[in-house]
Amino acid sequence: MPLLVQKYGGTSLGSKERIEAVAEKVIAYKDQGNDMVVVVSAMSGETNRLVAMAQEIDPNPKGRELDVLLTTGEQVTIALLAMALHKRGYAAKSYTGAQARIITDSRHNKARIKSIDHEKIRRDLKSGNIVVVAGFQGIDEENNITTLGRGGSDTTGVALAAALKADECQIFTDVDGVYTTDPRVVPEARRLKTLTYEEMLEMASLGSKVLQIRAVEFARKYEVPIRVLSSFEEGEGTLITTDDEADETMEQALISGIAFNRDEAQLTINGVADTPGVAYQILGPVSDANIEVDMILQNIGADGTTDFTFTVHRNDYEAALASLKQTAKKLKAREVTGNNRIVKISIVGVGMRSHAGIASRMFELLANEGINILMISTSEIKISVVVDEKYLELAVRALHEGFDLKSES
Ligand code: ADP
Ligand code: ASP
Ligand code: MG
């Protein structure tokens, strides 16, 4: 019997009526002869509400306790969905992450799944149950409750699909697939029929929050086909799969999508001695403060000194600035500057590999709009620029239009 793992996001479960609608949808798939495992998120807004409540008590709550709190969101939806299934005459069992034996490491708020003991789920399926599992959560070896980072229910879905060798992992959300860019910013964005794991991984890591990065990594590693679909309308959605299986026309597209990240901040230290070890002296303390650095840029030295710029998550801006100011004193740097009103915009596409001139076209399109580029970074299949946040919409629209992403390539 085919086995489907379906994941429903917060908006799809945002009210009692929507939970009942999800039950109907799941039943339709069950009636077609599929074994069904359903992963759910908390109701939309619930995780944010819980975070805010924690912060009212302590602005910096301990990760362990925060995880105990945050996992309650998904505990509500698994129970309600199972009840809605029972009411309709279907056998169903709800499980928290811990009950489903989703074992993670101990990094609270950003734990990684290590293993899933899926025997129990298999037995339930065999006896005809629809199995409903709480997304975003697990348990470590010491029985501490953990969460997988925001958007983590996607990862639960894909990990379960991998463990159970499901035929497909279907991600139901509030858009009907993966688009050339966020359709909320560019209404002309086009839904992609297929996308390679590699491209989706770049899109996700460059800021497209339609799928959590870890979910795509898992899918690639275990070759789980992911399909992104709308909870509210019928359609074929977007299939994310291996290079060979992705549509040939897709392969020929130079650019498959545009991603952006509003969570960045930029820091610069000017006039540091241009000597071996200086990058380490600057970034060592930043990393010791547990701050992840994204883009890094060092200028060619002149007069024996150089400038060094890097970006971090906006939440880490103040801490990174403090660290850099201390380093500046030690290194007798000229000055430290920062800007937390920047965004990173990236164009992504495997077709870029074999084509020169994409970068200059990108810069030309931005120049035509009078947008100043603050930083640039490239890899085989992506080009990223940092610009002032006020240009985000304008830049994304100009690139979308200029690279003709509207029309099918
Ligand atoms: P869920 O709660 O179902 O997990 P998310 O809000 O996490 O839903 O993800 C869906 C959202 O991702 C969409 O509403 C859309 O605004 C956003 N998004 C960003 N980039 C893209 C893209 N390239 N294609 C589709 N959606 C995107
Ligand atoms: N409820 C969690 C969040 O809002 C997990 C998820 O929805 O994927 O981040
Ligand atoms: Mg999500």
Side-chain angles (χ1 to χ4, degrees):
M1 198 182 271
L3 168 63
L4 290 182
V5 174
Q6 296 188 331
K7 176 257 170 176
Y8 289 88
T11 315
S12 317
L13 299 153
S15 63
K16 287 191 287 303
E17 292 70 30
R18 286 194 171 168
I19 291 175
E20 303 237 24
V22 167
E24 300 278 350
K25 220 172 161 72
V26 170
I27 285 171
Y29 282 92
K30 173 82 178 153
D31 286 348
Q32 284 164 19
N34 298 294
D35 273 340
M36 297 299 296
V37 174
V38 186
V39 173
V40 293
S41 291
M43 294 168 90
S44 55
E46 178 63 5
T47 310
N48 288 343
R49 189 184 74 85
L50 293 169
V51 170
M53 198 155 61
Q55 283 175 340
E56 278 167 27
I57 301 243
D58 178 357
N60 253 322
K62 284 219 186 305
R64 183 185 181 281
E65 286 7 277
L66 189 60
D67 279 349
V68 173
L69 180 68
L70 295 191
T71 48
T72 61
E74 272 75 8
Q75 191 165 342
V76 170
T77 44
I78 51 168
L80 292 177
L81 179 59
M83 290 172 195
L85 291 165
H86 294 160
K87 185 171 80 176
R88 288 166 174 78
Y90 285 75
K93 271 192 175 173
S94 65
Y95 289 104
T96 63
Q99 288 176 311
R101 304 303 300 154
I102 298 178
I103 310 297
T104 72
D105 63 22
S106 304
R107 278 182 285 185
H108 286 290
N109 314 143
K110 50 178 176 211
R112 287 176 171 241
I113 297 176
K114 287 165 69 174
S115 66
I116 299 179
D117 177 6
H118 48 84
E119 277 318 304
K120 203 170 161 48
I121 295 180
R122 283 210 180 278
R123 278 202 302 276
D124 285 336
L125 289 172
K126 217 167 174 185
S127 53
N129 281 282
I130 297 170
V131 177
V132 183
V133 181
F136 173 59
Q137 53 181 266
I139 193 160
D140 75 2
E141 314 268 10
E142 255 75 66
N143 282 341
N144 296 299
I145 290 175
T146 54
T147 63
L148 309 178
R150 298 305 303 267
S153 299
D154 297 334
T155 303
T156 307
V158 175
L160 273 170
L164 295 162
K165 300 197 171 49
D167 293 270
E168 199 168 89
C169 179
Q170 302 180 331
I171 305 280
F172 285 91
T173 183
D174 55 5
V175 278
D176 66 345
V178 179
Y179 277 68
T180 46
T181 193
D182 189 337
R184 294 185 206 286
V185 171
V186 181
E188 299 80 36
R190 179 172 51 87
R191 181 174 56 80
L192 297 161
K193 288 200 181 79
T194 59
L195 202 64
T196 64
Y197 292 123
E198 215 180 348
E199 285 169 318
M200 191 63 235
L201 203 55
E202 287 284 1
M203 293 277 281
S205 55
L206 295 167
S208 296
K209 289 181 180 140
V210 58
L211 285 175
Q212 202 198 31
I213 306 168
R214 285 286 295 147
V216 189
E217 282 172 356
F218 244 106
R220 179 169 69 168
K221 186 162 170 198
Y222 297 100
E223 298 206 352
V224 180
I226 304 184
R227 195 180 290 275
V228 178
L229 295 151
S230 162
S231 290
F232 307 112
E233 36 189 292
E234 295 295 312
E236 59 174 21
T238 300
L239 179 67
I240 299 150
T241 178
T242 55
D243 252 335
D244 318 336
E245 283 163 48
D247 193 355
E248 278 203 355
T249 55
M250 178 70 244
E251 287 259 18
Q252 284 153 14
L254 293 182
I255 314 289
S256 45
I258 303 173
F260 50 83
N261 188 345
R262 306 177 202 258
D263 298 330
E264 301 241 342
Q266 178 187 331
L267 298 108
T268 301
I269 180 164
N270 284 307
V272 285
D274 191 13
T275 51
V278 73
Y280 173 64
Q281 281 172 299
I282 293 167
L283 292 181
V286 176
S287 139
D288 291 344
N290 255 328
I291 299 172
E292 240 175 84
V293 171
D294 180 19
M295 291 164 95
I296 303 174
L297 189 90
Q298 188 189 324
N299 271 353
I300 301 239
D303 313 326
T305 69
T306 188
D307 306 330
F308 200 92
T309 300
F310 57 94
T311 64
V312 296
H313 194 284
R314 251 182 224 196
N315 293 347
D316 293 328
Y317 176 65
E318 297 298 338
L321 200 58
S323 154
L324 202 57
K325 282 184 175 157
Q326 284 213 327
T327 308
K329 264 193 220 142
K330 261 193 232 151
L331 300 182
K332 300 198 172 56
R334 198 166 56 244
E335 66 169 345
V336 168
T337 54
N339 183 356
N340 62 353
R341 317 211 57 160
I342 54 147
V343 289
K344 182 170 75 173
I345 301 173
S346 313
I347 56 175
V348 177
V350 285
M352 221 185 271
R353 270 189 192 127
S354 47
H355 282 80
I358 303 279
S360 60
R361 176 77 180 131
M362 181 184 195
F363 307 150
E364 181 189 9
L365 290 166
L366 296 173
N368 288 346
E369 301 296 335
I371 299 170
N372 190 33
I373 300 172
L374 304 170
M375 287 173 89
I376 300 170
S377 112
T378 65
S379 78
E380 251 199 324
I381 69 162
K382 71 119 205 282
I383 305 166
S384 304
V385 295
V386 168
V387 300
D388 192 304
E389 68 176 9
K390 69 174 182 249
Y391 295 127
L392 174 72
E393 276 84 9
L394 179 64
V396 175
R397 285 194 191 129
L399 294 171
H400 199 268
E401 177 80 31
F403 282 111
D404 201 21
L405 293 183
K406 262 194 317 221
S407 41
E408 196 102 29
S409 44

